[in-house]
Amino acid sequence: MGDGQVRILDGNTFVISDGSGDIQASPADPSGLFSFDTRFLSKWVLTINGEQLNPLSVDELHYFQTRFFLVPGPARVYIDAKLSVIRQRTVAKGFSEELTLLNLDRNPVDITLRIEVGNDFADIFDVKSATVKKVGKYYTRVENGDLLLGYEREAFRRETHVSSTATAQTDERGLTFAVHLDPHGHWDTTLRVVPRILAPGGGDLLPRVHQARSHMDLELTDWLRRAPRLECDWAPLKDVYQRSLVDLAALRYAPLVARGRSLPAAGLPWFMTLFGRDSIFTSLQVLPFEPEFAATTLRSLAIWQGTRVDDFRDEDPGRMPHELRYGETIAFEEQPHSPYFGTADATPLFVVLLDEYERWTGDIELVRELEFVTRFALAWIDDHADLMGNGYISYQRRTESGLENQCWKDSWDSISYHDGRLPGLPRATCELQGYAYDAKIRGARLARRVWNDPAYADKLEHEAADLKRRFDRDFWIENGQYFALALDADGKQVDALSSNIGHLLWSGIVDPEKAKAIAGHLLGPRLFSGWGVRTLAVGEGRYNPVGYHVGTVWPFDNSFIAWGLRRYGYEAEAARIAAGILDAAVFFDGRLPEAFGGFDRPLTRYPVLYPTACSPQAWSSGAPLLLIRTMLGLEPLDNNLVVNPALPTNIGHMQLLDIPGRWGLADALGRGPVQADRQEGLRPQLS
């Protein structure tokens, strides 16, 4: 299942082209070379004697490298080309492209090879909104046979440098090569495309923060070697696991403040940067596999924590950032993302991640280092997040360019009443209260065990208990036996049935007596499609199986729902969700997209791709890892790892070996009888 585009990436630098390797970007097309939120190449077209090339095959060698096999002329049923072209592209501080021409004939040949080059230096926000508009000045120069493309607007300067190892005739629109090939001969050159971010003094800022990797393949091998080893009777799970690890490696991003350490960027193509909520959720998913993500995410968010009231950026003291960008629209404050703080969940989730990280790793030094930051975050919940004065986290943007919905379902129509009407603002969604409850419980644990402040711990626990009592009273819909999606500006229930209730189980705010009803809804026909839990239930006014947050299935969402079901003892239900999501992954060649259609499984027989889903996306790549943790029932307990497996039937036997944690390295084993039953989802077998 693909869109015909070829993507390679490394951190926040990526290249998107068509199947022949060419780039011909339009204002709304996210193809090209991007780095630090700017498109550094929007045209890159290879021709032979004036003709574009036809792809025979495309080989994805690594996430950062791909190879195109091409022949001249249009596609035909019968191809008898006398010339072949190989272009091998590698991303590393821009990209390099090794061009090889092969003469397959017994006769010599003279050809003209041309690379057309152009750039609009578009900001990623302008591409996303299809409104590329520039007020600065473009310039193009030929320097010693190299091509330099530039854009300048006051102190904002970006350049793209194009060079070749073979001699070229270079003009302001590209490079031309006159090539003579002997019979069965070959010719090659290496093209380099290097982006530059220029400081006011003219120095290039990128080499200090975006080093080229001379041994990227060895680094990937080491990354995979360090991860726990998975053995399983159901072979597709091993493929999905491998794909997730590779994609997470591809999405590693080292912010300027991280001193070379990496955290997960959110997703290709739109979100290749630090995202507070996404980076936190992904770090939680991968803790048993790569704990360093969590440490870097926590330290980076702490540096950018809000310190003042700034309406343009939706900033408050103690609030954690949502998104940090570096493009032109940010430099001139046409967008508020420097950073932007318009998320209501990243702040309590920061506390959740810090506690979970310490439980896994025993790294109390980081907990001590971030004590003030964590107290500041907990204070934000009560001092700044209670916009309606009713004791609940709510949100309302303070800038027109900000997000209307500041929960994880952040599209404009994601929060609605049963009849489809949209509530006024502020809004207090239910899962935000669960996160706040969990943050207070976890903050109390850290205060008592690490900060030696039992009085503060008692205070947080008292507040959490009060929040849980009030939440049960104000959000519970008695005649539907589920929790409201939100409270509106008048404190009334926004009564749509949604997947958000699954996050309540994960947070622990649900009274155990009500958990059975919640589990029933999550696995019932209105929410569960057979592949996973829909974001909005069938029958709700805005339900649409291919609507972004109003009926699609999100793998990330489902991974936390399954984790929550296990917390409350619903092993069979958690296993059924895991089975559906993992089955879907097989149809996507092991790579789960951001979201896919919420159609009933018997109707479509395969998961329907959401048309603009990010892929790869960090928290979708992390979903199989959290599902593996959930199926094996992995939980840290002091210096021990508890294993309590509940496996779907077709998983059979599963081992996860060398799981890192405060215990050193540990192994986990689960067993289940092999019995194929894919249509209704896999049934659990306790071991």
Side-chain angles (χ1 to χ4, degrees):
M1 293 184 178
D3 55 9
Q5 292 186 318
V6 180
R7 303 167 172 86
I8 53 175
L9 68 154
D10 176 41
N12 77 338
T13 298
F14 60 93
V15 180
I16 301 178
S17 70
D18 65 19
S20 65
D22 287 340
I23 298 167
Q24 300 182 79
S26 67
D29 175 16
S31 61
L33 164 65
F34 287 83
S35 187
F36 284 88
D37 306 311
T38 294
R39 179 156 57 195
F40 282 92
L41 200 64
S42 58
K43 187 173 186 180
W44 185 259
V45 178
L46 172 65
T47 60
I48 300 289
N49 296 333
E51 285 188 312
Q52 288 186 241
L53 305 180
N54 174 46
L56 297 181
S57 68
V58 180
D59 292 343
E60 181 183 329
L61 303 177
H62 298 293
Y63 63 80
F64 51 83
Q65 188 176 67
T66 195
R67 182 186 295 147
F68 305 86
F69 292 87
L70 313 167
V71 293
R76 294 185 288 268
V77 174
Y78 180 69
I79 294 178
D80 184 20
K82 298 296 190 291
L83 184 72
S84 289
V85 179
I86 303 171
R87 59 198 307 191
Q88 181 166 305
R89 182 175 297 161
T90 304
V91 170
K93 192 181 183 293
F95 72 82
S96 63
E97 184 161 299
E98 300 173 28
L99 281 179
T100 302
L101 274 61
L102 302 173
N103 182 8
L104 308 179
D105 201 358
R106 293 175 294 177
N107 301 311
V109 64
D110 291 291
I111 65 171
T112 299
L113 184 148
R114 171 78 174 171
I115 294 283
E116 289 283 342
V117 184
N119 196 16
D120 57 6
F121 290 97
D123 186 290
I124 189 72
F125 278 102
D126 287 341
V127 178
K128 189 177 182 183
S129 62
T131 56
V132 175
K133 54 187 185 300
K134 310 297 282 188
V135 298
K137 178 180 69 174
Y138 291 97
Y139 55 91
T140 306
R141 295 195 298 269
V142 177
E143 298 179 344
N144 300 318
D146 298 344
L147 179 59
L148 183 71
L149 309 172
Y151 177 78
E152 182 175 19
R153 179 181 173 187
E154 299 178 19
F156 183 91
R157 289 183 63 195
R158 301 290 188 267
E159 288 183 350
T160 304
H161 183 262
V162 182
S163 62
S164 169
T165 57
T167 301
Q169 180 181 343
T170 306
D171 57 62
E172 293 188 348
R173 291 190 302 244
L175 291 77
T176 302
F177 302 86
V179 180
H180 174 79
L181 288 169
D182 291 328
H184 300 291
H186 77 278
W187 175 92
D188 57 66
T189 187
T190 298
L191 301 163
R192 285 286 294 144
V193 181
V194 180
R196 294 175 175 174
I197 296 178
L198 299 179
D204 186 1
L205 299 176
L206 278 181
R208 297 200 301 270
V209 300
H210 195 62
Q211 299 290 341
R213 295 177 178 174
S214 58
H215 302 291
M216 295 174 72
D217 52 346
L218 295 177
E219 185 186 70
L220 175 59
T221 299
D222 184 61
W223 165 269
L224 296 174
R225 179 188 57 78
R226 295 198 314 267
R229 190 171 78 254
L230 179 71
E231 299 294 340
C232 181
D233 289 339
W234 189 51
L237 181 57
K238 296 175 67 175
D239 296 336
V240 172
Y241 179 61
Q242 180 82 359
R243 178 78 263 177
S244 291
L245 291 175
V246 170
D247 285 345
L248 288 165
L251 292 166
R252 287 175 296 177
Y253 164 56
L256 304 183
V257 298
R259 300 180 181 178
R261 296 184 178 91
S262 297
L263 54 78
L268 187 74
W270 306 117
F271 307 114
M272 297 301 293
T273 187
L274 169 67
F275 257 70
R277 172 201 311 125
D278 298 52
S279 296
I280 290 172
F281 272 129
T282 306
S283 297
L284 283 165
Q285 290 171 320
V286 306
L287 251 177
F289 306 86
E290 178 48 59
E292 182 58 35
F293 267 0
T296 307
T297 295
L298 290 163
R299 287 193 172 101
S300 299
L301 291 175
I303 290 171
W304 290 106
Q305 187 177 33
T307 60
R308 60 181 179 172
V309 174
D310 182 341
D311 289 347
F312 178 62
R313 293 174 177 82
D314 278 336
E315 180 180 358
D316 301 314
R319 195 173 194 175
M320 288 299 168
H322 174 55
E323 183 177 355
L324 177 64
R325 297 288 190 168
Y326 297 94
E328 180 182 359
T329 59
I330 310 306
F332 292 92
E333 295 194 339
E334 296 163 7
Q335 299 281 351
H337 300 71
S338 59
Y340 175 58
F341 291 83
T343 177
D345 46 18
T347 308
L349 287 172
F350 175 91
V351 184
V352 173
L353 176 60
L354 179 62
D355 178 69
E356 190 72 8
Y357 170 77
E358 192 281 328
R359 291 177 67 235
W360 269 93
T361 67
D363 186 359
I364 61 173
E365 292 306 314
L366 184 59
V367 177
R368 291 190 178 115
E369 175 188 330
L370 298 179
E371 177 181 356
F372 174 78
V373 171
T374 307
R375 288 175 181 261
F376 205 17
L378 286 163
W380 175 83
I381 294 173
D382 299 313
D383 297 344
H384 296 279
D386 183 9
L387 302 183
M388 295 190 286
N390 57 6
Y392 297 120
I393 292 182
S394 54
Y395 57 80
Q396 181 172 14
R397 66 181 179 185
R398 309 197 302 264
T399 175
E400 281 302 312
S401 56
L403 291 169
E404 182 172 347
N405 280 309
Q406 298 184 359
C407 52
W408 86 258
K409 294 178 179 177
D410 54 9
S411 55
W412 68 276
D413 63 343
S414 63
I415 308 301
S416 64
Y417 297 100
H418 169 68
D419 61 9
R421 291 177 298 119
L422 300 180
L425 293 163
R427 297 168 184 164
T429 59
C430 64
E431 82 285 355
L432 292 176
Q433 319 320 316
Y435 303 159
Y437 170 81
D438 200 13
K440 288 176 182 288
I441 292 294
R442 291 174 180 265
R445 175 186 171 274
L446 297 176
R448 185 167 281 115
R449 294 177 61 118
V450 182
W451 303 332
N452 194 28
D453 192 344
Y456 184 49
D458 290 343
K459 173 179 177 292
L460 290 173
E461 287 172 344
H462 174 77
E463 291 171 352
D466 179 64
L467 174 58
K468 185 174 185 177
R469 177 188 56 79
R470 290 185 291 104
F471 177 83
D472 186 74
R473 178 194 67 200
D474 296 339
F475 278 78
W476 184 248
I477 299 176
E478 183 63 35
N479 61 357
Q481 293 290 289
Y482 62 90
F483 288 100
L485 173 56
L487 297 184
D488 64 17
D490 297 321
K492 296 179 180 178
Q493 294 176 341
V494 180
D495 56 349
L497 175 61
S498 71
S499 67
N500 301 52
I501 60 176
H503 288 237
L504 300 176
L505 295 177
W506 170 61
S507 71
I509 199 172
V510 177
D511 188 305
E513 294 181 358
K514 291 185 170 66
K516 183 177 181 179
I518 297 302
H521 282 296
L522 291 168
L523 276 299
R526 294 185 61 202
L527 278 174
F528 191 67
S529 72
W531 301 110
V533 179
R534 302 177 177 96
T535 42
L536 191 66
V538 174
E540 300 300 321
R542 288 189 176 269
Y543 170 72
N544 179 351
V546 288
Y548 195 54
H549 290 129
V550 291
T552 51
V553 173
W554 285 59
F556 128 79
D557 188 27
N558 278 260
S559 70
F560 281 89
I561 292 170
W563 196 9
L565 287 163
R566 281 298 315 250
R567 176 172 185 164
Y568 278 79
Y570 292 94
E571 292 91 352
E573 290 78 2
R576 191 175 177 203
I577 288 174
I581 294 296
L582 294 173
D583 276 354
V586 175
F587 283 87
F588 295 116
D589 297 323
R591 173 184 284 169
L592 285 164
E594 177 183 24
F596 57 87
F599 297 101
D600 282 332
R601 184 167 178 167
L603 177 66
T604 61
R605 300 289 178 177
Y606 59 86
V608 177
L609 183 65
Y610 182 77
T612 59
C614 288
S615 182
Q617 194 205 36
W619 60 15
S620 288
S621 299
L625 277 60
L626 180 53
L627 292 173
I628 290 170
R629 172 183 176 175
T630 299
M631 290 186 292
L632 288 172
L634 305 182
E635 288 298 329
L637 181 62
D638 297 326
N639 290 324
N640 299 295
L641 178 63
V642 175
V643 181
N644 180 27
L647 304 183
T649 314
N650 272 41
I651 295 295
H653 169 272
M654 186 187 349
Q655 293 183 87
L656 192 65
L657 307 176
D658 296 332
I659 305 166
R662 62 197 304 161
W663 44 81
L665 295 175
D667 299 338
L669 168 67
R671 295 183 185 275
V674 179
Q675 177 183 334
D677 184 6
R678 313 304 291 172
Q679 178 60 40
E680 296 301 326
L682 304 182
R683 293 190 292 270
Q685 174 66 38
L686 304 186
S687 172

